[in-house]
Amino acid sequence: MTKRIALVTGGMGGIGTAICKALAEAGHAIVTTYSKPGKETAWLAEMKQAGYDVHAYQCDVTNTEQCATMVAQIHQEIGTISVLVNNAGITRDNSFRKMTADDWHQVISANLDSVFNVTRPVIDAMVEQGFGRIVNISSINGQKGQFGQSNYSAAKAGMHGFTMALAQEVARKGVTVNTVSPGYIATDMVMAVPQEHRDKIVAQIPVGRLGKPEEIASLVSWIASDNAGFMTGANIAMNGGQHTM
Ligand code: CAA
């Protein structure tokens, strides 16, 4: 059987890299995006040295046309995308009274508009081939809200609204759509939270530590598998017990 193709947006970040590796280990051909030239050469070399064959496309996921062009290129140069992981995201933390319109729009655009921009050109081919897995990487803070993240919490909650709606539209076509909501994971994004705030957050995690990117990645890899075909429209939390619902 030829390899299924998985597109992971923002695949060069902490959780993204782990997802690329896990999906590759599960037998997928991996394609990832990066927004600006810079670290992709070193990242690709590291992945190659570790035995992972990964393709990378430069694409600003906030740009609808660029996403459509990239997906068309992937379909032509590599093949039909079977697994899409909407993982690209940013933070611009600020309490709401200090938040600028830029802080708001950048976060909504990178975390939520991007989900439309990348999923829209991918969905028809998934439906036509009768198989697809869409995994939206949201956050604990889309489920519970977080001081300083009114923009990010809104975008991440919005992602799951999208999941629930699209899941219903494509359920009979062999395409599942699910959300994964990680808690605080040991990545650069979380390490950028000032230490005094981070220490208070870690103290609220019953498991007593930050999560590992590999823990999220193994969940994503399972959702992408044939065995997960009956799960759709779900929001799976992995947060060390910090938020239960
Ligand atoms: N809860 C309640 N009150 C808080 C608070 C909190 N978490 N944080 C600050 N405050 C209070 C302060 O005690 C202070 O009160 P007083 O005015 O009465 O003294 C007031 O709020 C300060 O307000 P400021 O607007 O001046 O806040 P700040 O500039 O000091 O800090 C912040 C704001 C930078 C957003 C900071 O709170 C922060 O970094 N918080 C952490 C945000 C966070 O968790 N981000 C996650 C990033 S990682 C990620 O997003 C990945 C993922 O999916 C989990």
Side-chain angles (χ1 to χ4, degrees), residues 91 93-95 98 138-141 146-149 152 156 182-185 189-190 193-194 197 201:
T91 54
D93 293 357
N94 234 332
S95 51
K98 290 182 185 167
S138 179
S139 166
I140 183 175
N141 294 340
Q146 168 62 39
F147 187 105
Q149 288 199 307
Y152 186 84
K156 292 300 194 180
Y184 283 75
I185 309 299
M189 185 185 269
V190 167
V193 174
H197 293 291
I201 289 163

Short mmCIF file of all heavy atoms in Angstrom, two decimals, residues 91 93-95 98 138-141 146-149 152 156 182-185 189-190 193-194 197 201, ligand 1:
data_model
loop_
_atom_site.label_atom_id
_atom_site.label_comp_id
_atom_site.label_asym_id
_atom_site.label_seq_id
_atom_site.Cartn_x
_atom_site.Cartn_y
_atom_site.Cartn_z
N THR A 91 0.86 32.86 20.14
CA THR A 91 0.25 33.58 21.27
C THR A 91 0.68 35.05 21.21
O THR A 91 1.78 35.36 20.72
CB THR A 91 0.70 33.02 22.63
OG1 THR A 91 2.13 33.03 22.67
CG2 THR A 91 0.18 31.63 22.88
N ASP A 93 0.01 37.17 24.35
CA ASP A 93 -0.68 37.28 25.64
C ASP A 93 -0.66 38.71 26.17
O ASP A 93 0.37 39.40 26.12
CB ASP A 93 0.00 36.37 26.68
CG ASP A 93 -0.16 34.89 26.38
OD1 ASP A 93 -0.84 34.54 25.39
OD2 ASP A 93 0.41 34.08 27.13
N ASN A 94 -1.78 39.14 26.68
CA ASN A 94 -1.93 40.44 27.31
C ASN A 94 -3.29 40.47 27.97
O ASN A 94 -4.25 39.94 27.40
CB ASN A 94 -1.89 41.56 26.24
CG ASN A 94 -0.85 42.60 26.56
OD1 ASN A 94 -0.51 42.82 27.73
ND2 ASN A 94 -0.33 43.25 25.53
N SER A 95 -3.38 41.07 29.14
CA SER A 95 -4.71 41.18 29.72
C SER A 95 -5.56 42.04 28.77
O SER A 95 -5.03 42.90 28.05
CB SER A 95 -4.65 41.79 31.12
OG SER A 95 -3.89 42.97 31.10
N LYS A 98 -5.21 45.70 28.10
CA LYS A 98 -3.98 46.17 27.44
C LYS A 98 -3.88 45.63 26.00
O LYS A 98 -2.93 45.94 25.28
CB LYS A 98 -2.76 45.66 28.21
CG LYS A 98 -2.54 46.30 29.55
CD LYS A 98 -1.26 45.71 30.16
CE LYS A 98 -1.03 46.19 31.57
NZ LYS A 98 0.01 45.38 32.24
N SER A 138 -6.07 22.33 19.48
CA SER A 138 -6.60 23.46 20.24
C SER A 138 -5.80 23.61 21.52
O SER A 138 -4.56 23.47 21.50
CB SER A 138 -8.10 23.23 20.48
OG SER A 138 -8.65 24.28 21.23
N SER A 139 -6.46 23.82 22.65
CA SER A 139 -5.74 24.06 23.90
C SER A 139 -6.68 23.94 25.09
O SER A 139 -7.89 24.24 24.97
CB SER A 139 -5.15 25.47 23.88
OG SER A 139 -4.73 25.87 25.17
N ILE A 140 -6.13 23.59 26.21
CA ILE A 140 -6.87 23.65 27.49
C ILE A 140 -7.48 25.04 27.65
O ILE A 140 -8.56 25.19 28.21
CB ILE A 140 -5.92 23.32 28.67
CG1 ILE A 140 -6.68 23.30 29.99
CG2 ILE A 140 -4.75 24.30 28.75
CD1 ILE A 140 -5.83 22.87 31.19
N ASN A 141 -6.80 26.05 27.13
CA ASN A 141 -7.27 27.42 27.36
C ASN A 141 -8.44 27.81 26.46
O ASN A 141 -9.09 28.82 26.69
CB ASN A 141 -6.10 28.40 27.27
CG ASN A 141 -5.13 28.16 28.42
OD1 ASN A 141 -5.50 27.55 29.43
ND2 ASN A 141 -3.88 28.61 28.28
N GLN A 146 -8.17 31.59 29.93
CA GLN A 146 -6.93 31.84 30.66
C GLN A 146 -6.70 33.34 30.77
O GLN A 146 -6.82 34.06 29.77
CB GLN A 146 -5.74 31.18 29.93
CG GLN A 146 -4.36 31.59 30.42
CD GLN A 146 -4.09 31.23 31.88
OE1 GLN A 146 -4.49 30.16 32.35
NE2 GLN A 146 -3.45 32.13 32.61
N PHE A 147 -6.41 33.80 31.97
CA PHE A 147 -6.04 35.20 32.20
C PHE A 147 -4.96 35.58 31.18
O PHE A 147 -3.96 34.89 31.05
CB PHE A 147 -5.49 35.35 33.63
CG PHE A 147 -5.24 36.77 34.06
CD1 PHE A 147 -6.09 37.41 34.95
CD2 PHE A 147 -4.13 37.47 33.58
CE1 PHE A 147 -5.85 38.72 35.35
CE2 PHE A 147 -3.89 38.78 33.96
CZ PHE A 147 -4.75 39.41 34.85
N GLY A 148 -5.14 36.65 30.47
CA GLY A 148 -4.13 37.11 29.51
C GLY A 148 -4.26 36.52 28.12
O GLY A 148 -3.44 36.78 27.25
N GLN A 149 -5.30 35.69 27.92
CA GLN A 149 -5.41 35.02 26.61
C GLN A 149 -6.84 35.12 26.05
O GLN A 149 -7.36 34.13 25.51
CB GLN A 149 -5.01 33.55 26.72
CG GLN A 149 -3.51 33.35 26.92
CD GLN A 149 -3.09 31.93 26.56
OE1 GLN A 149 -3.67 30.98 27.07
NE2 GLN A 149 -2.10 31.79 25.69
N TYR A 152 -6.43 34.21 22.34
CA TYR A 152 -6.07 32.80 22.11
C TYR A 152 -7.20 31.87 22.55
O TYR A 152 -7.54 30.91 21.84
CB TYR A 152 -4.79 32.53 22.90
CG TYR A 152 -4.13 31.18 22.73
CD1 TYR A 152 -3.25 30.95 21.67
CD2 TYR A 152 -4.34 30.16 23.66
CE1 TYR A 152 -2.60 29.72 21.55
CE2 TYR A 152 -3.69 28.94 23.54
CZ TYR A 152 -2.82 28.72 22.48
OH TYR A 152 -2.17 27.51 22.37
N LYS A 156 -9.05 29.29 20.07
CA LYS A 156 -8.96 27.85 20.34
C LYS A 156 -10.34 27.25 20.59
O LYS A 156 -10.61 26.11 20.19
CB LYS A 156 -8.02 27.59 21.52
CG LYS A 156 -6.54 27.92 21.21
CD LYS A 156 -6.01 27.09 20.04
CE LYS A 156 -4.51 27.12 19.92
NZ LYS A 156 -4.01 26.32 18.78
N PRO A 182 -4.37 20.10 24.14
CA PRO A 182 -3.25 19.89 25.07
C PRO A 182 -3.31 20.89 26.22
O PRO A 182 -3.76 22.03 26.06
CB PRO A 182 -2.01 20.16 24.22
CG PRO A 182 -2.48 20.18 22.79
CD PRO A 182 -3.91 20.62 22.85
N GLY A 183 -2.82 20.45 27.36
CA GLY A 183 -2.58 21.38 28.46
C GLY A 183 -1.22 22.03 28.25
O GLY A 183 -0.79 22.26 27.12
N TYR A 184 -0.55 22.34 29.34
CA TYR A 184 0.76 23.01 29.25
C TYR A 184 1.83 21.96 28.95
O TYR A 184 2.08 21.05 29.74
CB TYR A 184 1.05 23.78 30.54
CG TYR A 184 0.26 25.08 30.59
CD1 TYR A 184 -1.11 25.09 30.85
CD2 TYR A 184 0.88 26.29 30.31
CE1 TYR A 184 -1.83 26.27 30.87
CE2 TYR A 184 0.17 27.49 30.32
CZ TYR A 184 -1.19 27.47 30.60
OH TYR A 184 -1.91 28.65 30.60
N ILE A 185 2.44 22.10 27.78
CA ILE A 185 3.42 21.14 27.27
C ILE A 185 4.79 21.84 27.25
O ILE A 185 4.86 23.05 26.99
CB ILE A 185 3.03 20.68 25.83
CG1 ILE A 185 1.56 20.21 25.77
CG2 ILE A 185 3.98 19.60 25.33
CD1 ILE A 185 1.19 19.03 26.64
N MET A 189 6.81 27.77 23.38
CA MET A 189 5.66 28.66 23.61
C MET A 189 5.34 28.77 25.11
O MET A 189 5.10 29.85 25.64
CB MET A 189 4.44 28.12 22.85
CG MET A 189 3.23 29.02 22.91
SD MET A 189 1.78 28.29 22.14
CE MET A 189 1.92 28.88 20.47
N VAL A 190 5.38 27.63 25.78
CA VAL A 190 5.07 27.64 27.22
C VAL A 190 6.26 28.21 28.01
O VAL A 190 6.07 28.95 28.98
CB VAL A 190 4.69 26.21 27.69
CG1 VAL A 190 4.69 26.11 29.20
CG2 VAL A 190 3.31 25.84 27.14
N VAL A 193 6.30 31.91 28.74
CA VAL A 193 5.47 32.50 29.80
C VAL A 193 6.42 32.87 30.95
O VAL A 193 7.24 32.05 31.37
CB VAL A 193 4.41 31.48 30.30
CG1 VAL A 193 3.64 32.02 31.50
CG2 VAL A 193 3.46 31.11 29.16
N PRO A 194 6.33 34.10 31.45
CA PRO A 194 7.24 34.50 32.53
C PRO A 194 7.21 33.48 33.68
O PRO A 194 6.15 32.97 34.04
CB PRO A 194 6.68 35.86 32.98
CG PRO A 194 5.89 36.36 31.81
CD PRO A 194 5.38 35.15 31.08
N HIS A 197 4.59 33.29 36.47
CA HIS A 197 3.27 32.82 36.05
C HIS A 197 3.31 31.32 35.76
O HIS A 197 2.40 30.58 36.10
CB HIS A 197 2.80 33.58 34.80
CG HIS A 197 2.54 35.04 35.06
ND1 HIS A 197 1.49 35.48 35.82
CD2 HIS A 197 3.22 36.15 34.66
CE1 HIS A 197 1.52 36.81 35.88
NE2 HIS A 197 2.57 37.24 35.19
N ILE A 201 1.19 28.06 37.28
CA ILE A 201 0.40 27.16 36.42
C ILE A 201 0.79 25.71 36.69
O ILE A 201 -0.07 24.84 36.87
CB ILE A 201 0.59 27.53 34.93
CG1 ILE A 201 -0.12 28.86 34.63
CG2 ILE A 201 0.06 26.42 34.02
CD1 ILE A 201 0.29 29.55 33.37
N1 CAA B 1 -5.09 35.35 37.59
C1 CAA B 1 -5.60 36.39 38.30
N2 CAA B 1 -5.00 37.60 38.37
C2 CAA B 1 -3.85 37.76 37.72
C3 CAA B 1 -3.25 36.71 36.97
C4 CAA B 1 -3.93 35.46 36.94
N3 CAA B 1 -3.47 34.41 36.26
N4 CAA B 1 -2.12 37.17 36.40
C5 CAA B 1 -1.98 38.46 36.81
N5 CAA B 1 -3.01 38.80 37.59
C6 CAA B 1 -3.28 40.08 38.26
C7 CAA B 1 -2.05 40.59 38.97
O1 CAA B 1 -1.97 40.07 40.26
C8 CAA B 1 -2.30 42.10 38.96
O2 CAA B 1 -3.27 42.42 39.93
P1 CAA B 1 -3.29 43.87 40.63
O3 CAA B 1 -3.50 44.87 39.54
O4 CAA B 1 -4.42 43.78 41.58
O5 CAA B 1 -1.94 43.99 41.30
C9 CAA B 1 -2.95 42.30 37.61
O6 CAA B 1 -3.56 41.04 37.25
C10 CAA B 1 -1.89 42.62 36.58
O7 CAA B 1 -2.53 42.80 35.37
P2 CAA B 1 -1.63 43.12 34.12
O8 CAA B 1 -2.51 43.37 32.95
O9 CAA B 1 -0.65 44.20 34.46
O10 CAA B 1 -0.92 41.72 33.96
P3 CAA B 1 0.60 41.48 33.63
O11 CAA B 1 1.01 42.38 32.50
O12 CAA B 1 1.38 41.48 34.87
O13 CAA B 1 0.57 39.97 33.11
C11 CAA B 1 0.24 38.37 31.39
C12 CAA B 1 -0.31 39.60 32.07
C13 CAA B 1 1.52 38.69 30.63
C14 CAA B 1 -0.80 37.86 30.41
C15 CAA B 1 0.52 37.32 32.46
O14 CAA B 1 -0.62 37.18 33.29
C16 CAA B 1 0.83 35.95 31.90
O15 CAA B 1 1.83 35.75 31.23
N6 CAA B 1 -0.02 34.99 32.15
C17 CAA B 1 0.13 33.63 31.64
C18 CAA B 1 -0.63 33.49 30.36
C19 CAA B 1 -0.56 32.07 29.87
O16 CAA B 1 -0.84 31.12 30.61
N7 CAA B 1 -0.21 31.87 28.61
C20 CAA B 1 -0.08 30.56 28.07
C21 CAA B 1 0.93 30.58 26.96
S1 CAA B 1 1.35 28.95 26.40
C22 CAA B 1 0.00 28.46 25.55
O17 CAA B 1 -0.87 29.20 25.27
C23 CAA B 1 -0.03 27.02 25.13
C24 CAA B 1 -1.29 26.40 25.54
O18 CAA B 1 -2.14 26.17 24.70
C25 CAA B 1 -1.49 26.02 26.95
#
